[in-house]
Amino acid sequence: MAEKKKHIPKNQHFVPQFFQRFFSYENDGKTIGMFNTQLDRFINQVPISSQLSSDYFYGRDGNLENWLSKHESDSAPIFREMWEKEKLPINQSPDHFKMLHFMVVLDLRNPIHFKILNNFEKKLPKTKSKISEGNVSGNMVSGLKEHQTDQGKLNSLKSAEQIVSDLLNLEYKLIKNTTSNPFIISDNPIILYNQFFEKRNWKFCSQRDFGLKGFQMFLPLNDSYMLAVYDSNIYKLGTKKQKIVAIDDKNSIDQLNLLQFLNSETTINFNHKASQYYIETLYQKSKKFKKANDTSINVHKMNFPKGYDNHTAQMIEMGVSDLNIKLKIQKLNFISKSSAVKLKSIDNQYRKNVKYKGHVHVVYKLVPIIEK
């Protein structure tokens, strides 16, 4: 007897439904508040089943959808315990790895990630060379196309485990929101920030690669809790012994919520504690800042060392716009020794022993060209 084929859902969520339920309206587990920034439309309750999803976004064969389903089942209890019991995974434990793995996958699985690749694919053939007539080589386009296929998406998400090994030495704590302004999420809820690079005005490549010095991740868990992961060689959050850091400053909460608008594509979500006035006020504030995830390609001419007479190469830097709002959060401060950290080169911008470099930006050196 032939094995019955498993039904593959048409409506596939890129922000897991279990995660959206943490923000459900009056904790009903079924509906959530929604604000559409394109339509300027506020709705108190919409079905979670219809939110933050797209038809067959992860394919029709079920391979990636099934992989994500198991990944979510493994992750959900860990994140629920954070806000229900104020319990964080033990450092270097399997749950610590799963926590970080979920955060990386949440970033890599988002439609914005694949939109960025698609924009690079379109822009690259039109990019002018710095050292020869015409445009740069288009031999990288096939690789960008491959990452956008169903198999490419699956391979990309499976590679997230490699990135996690670079994050295990980062500090992580819970921010407890004790104000009346609730945390909110968006269609791209994982915030990648770097106050250190922002302060240094470091412009070369993206400020948000997972392996960079000063790297930070902020993930709201419900209206009252946010998970913060950060480079403890650069920052301190609360006291050394605190794992739960209470914040009673509304401006700090508003800044963290503002990042959701700037990191989003079109949709903001929230529970019953967020008023229409509050959401619309944040939206108006967000218009003063540049949104994240806009693509750019820069070509740099490079001269070879002595012994390579008349040889030059070009380096193609493909990057995205960062979140930069001069973020300042109560109880999150630079440690004193961070001021002595040097930034002199591309390699120097990464933390020690980082293996995976180039998540948000992609840098290529082309074959040397002899100038005529």
Side-chain angles (χ1 to χ4, degrees):
M1 186 174 177
E3 185 179 346
K4 187 177 179 180
K5 189 174 181 180
K6 185 177 179 182
H7 171 69
I8 305 304
K10 176 182 178 182
N11 189 33
Q12 299 176 355
H13 291 78
F14 47 85
V15 176
Q17 291 187 79
F18 89 78
F19 193 80
Q20 294 186 57
R21 292 187 191 107
F22 295 168
F23 295 83
S24 63
Y25 191 87
E26 294 185 346
N27 304 312
D28 67 3
K30 297 178 181 179
T31 63
I32 194 169
M34 185 273 290
F35 179 77
N36 186 295
T37 56
Q38 280 187 333
L39 303 176
D40 201 358
R41 187 183 183 195
F42 179 99
I43 304 178
N44 275 320
Q45 290 175 264
V46 293
I48 286 174
S49 60
S50 69
Q51 284 295 288
L52 312 183
S53 61
S54 183
D55 289 354
Y56 295 116
F57 183 67
Y58 299 117
R60 296 171 181 267
D61 60 12
N63 292 336
L64 182 49
E65 183 71 3
N66 291 337
W67 185 89
L68 286 168
S69 178
K70 184 179 185 310
H71 167 73
E72 291 167 16
S73 297
D74 289 344
S75 306
I78 299 169
F79 286 88
R80 178 173 284 278
E81 280 194 327
M82 290 184 195
W83 59 266
E84 277 193 341
K85 301 179 181 179
E86 293 190 343
K87 181 182 176 182
L88 284 165
I90 296 170
N91 190 42
Q92 303 296 318
S93 69
D95 281 355
H96 179 201
F97 187 95
K98 289 178 183 178
M99 177 192 85
L100 293 170
H101 191 221
F102 177 83
M103 297 177 84
V104 175
V105 169
L106 189 61
D107 177 62
L108 295 180
R109 71 186 285 183
N110 196 275
I112 285 180
H113 179 75
F114 300 102
K115 181 182 176 182
I116 287 170
L117 293 176
N118 184 254
N119 286 341
F120 283 148
E121 179 191 330
K122 291 177 179 177
K123 286 183 177 181
L124 192 62
K126 302 174 184 177
T127 302
K128 296 295 181 184
S129 172
K130 289 285 185 182
I131 58 177
S132 63
E133 293 182 7
N135 299 338
V136 299
S137 169
N139 60 7
M140 292 175 284
V141 170
S142 59
L144 295 169
K145 284 180 181 290
E146 172 60 28
H147 283 297
Q148 298 171 70
T149 64
D150 291 345
Q151 187 60 45
K153 289 177 181 178
L154 180 59
N155 293 341
S156 174
L157 296 187
K158 286 186 173 180
S159 73
E161 290 188 357
Q162 300 169 30
I163 301 173
V164 172
S165 62
D166 287 338
L167 302 177
L168 287 169
N169 290 327
L170 296 178
E171 182 64 85
Y172 54 102
K173 295 186 178 185
L174 287 180
I175 293 175
K176 185 175 183 177
N177 174 9
T178 62
T179 76
S180 59
N181 293 350
F183 284 134
I184 63 177
I185 57 170
S186 72
D187 52 24
N188 190 23
I190 179 78
I191 300 298
L192 310 183
Y193 208 92
N194 198 318
Q195 287 177 282
F196 175 64
F197 276 20
E198 181 179 49
K199 184 179 180 182
R200 294 290 186 90
N201 200 30
W202 183 257
K203 297 294 186 184
F204 191 75
C205 301
S206 172
Q207 298 179 1
R208 295 181 287 149
D209 278 5
F210 287 114
L212 294 176
K213 293 173 181 174
F215 180 68
Q216 299 162 297
M217 291 191 288
F218 299 102
L219 181 63
L221 302 175
N222 70 354
D223 57 40
S224 299
Y225 291 92
M226 175 177 287
L227 176 60
V229 179
Y230 58 94
D231 182 356
S232 59
N233 287 316
I234 302 295
Y235 318 102
K236 59 182 177 181
L237 176 59
T239 65
K240 192 171 184 179
K241 292 184 178 181
Q242 281 180 315
K243 295 301 285 184
I244 318 296
V245 181
I247 289 183
D248 60 10
D249 175 51
K250 285 188 175 181
N251 184 52
S252 295
I253 303 304
D254 291 350
Q255 285 184 68
L256 291 167
N257 283 338
L258 186 65
L259 294 177
Q260 292 294 326
F261 278 88
L262 297 172
N263 204 45
S264 70
E265 183 75 9
T266 61
T267 309
I268 303 296
N269 293 103
F270 40 83
N271 70 4
H272 53 284
K273 294 182 181 179
S275 68
Q276 183 171 351
Y277 175 78
Y278 180 64
I279 294 298
E280 291 181 346
T281 299
L282 281 175
Y283 177 48
Q284 292 303 317
K285 286 183 179 178
S286 74
K287 293 179 180 180
K288 299 176 184 177
F289 301 95
K290 182 178 176 62
K291 289 198 74 168
N293 306 307
D294 288 340
T295 55
S296 63
I297 299 180
N298 296 307
V299 182
H300 306 274
K301 183 176 180 179
M302 301 181 68
N303 292 317
F304 273 63
K306 290 181 179 179
Y308 293 86
D309 294 341
N310 298 320
H311 279 59
T312 58
Q314 55 193 356
M315 181 169 66
I316 300 176
E317 174 199 346
M318 301 195 293
V320 297
S321 57
D322 293 303
L323 290 163
N324 291 135
I325 63 169
K326 292 185 167 53
L327 184 66
K328 192 172 183 180
I329 303 300
Q330 181 187 35
K331 299 183 181 178
L332 175 58
N333 300 300
F334 289 94
I335 62 175
S336 56
K337 69 177 184 180
S338 67
S339 59
V341 175
K342 304 295 184 184
L343 291 176
K344 295 180 179 179
S345 66
I346 296 175
D347 284 338
N348 191 239
Q349 69 188 2
Y350 288 94
R351 300 188 302 276
K352 271 188 178 181
N353 301 319
V354 164
K355 297 177 182 177
Y356 190 88
K357 301 178 182 180
H359 156 60
V360 180
H361 69 268
V362 186
V363 176
Y364 293 89
K365 289 182 183 178
L366 300 189
V367 177
I369 298 175
I370 301 174
E371 289 188 315
K372 295 180 179 179

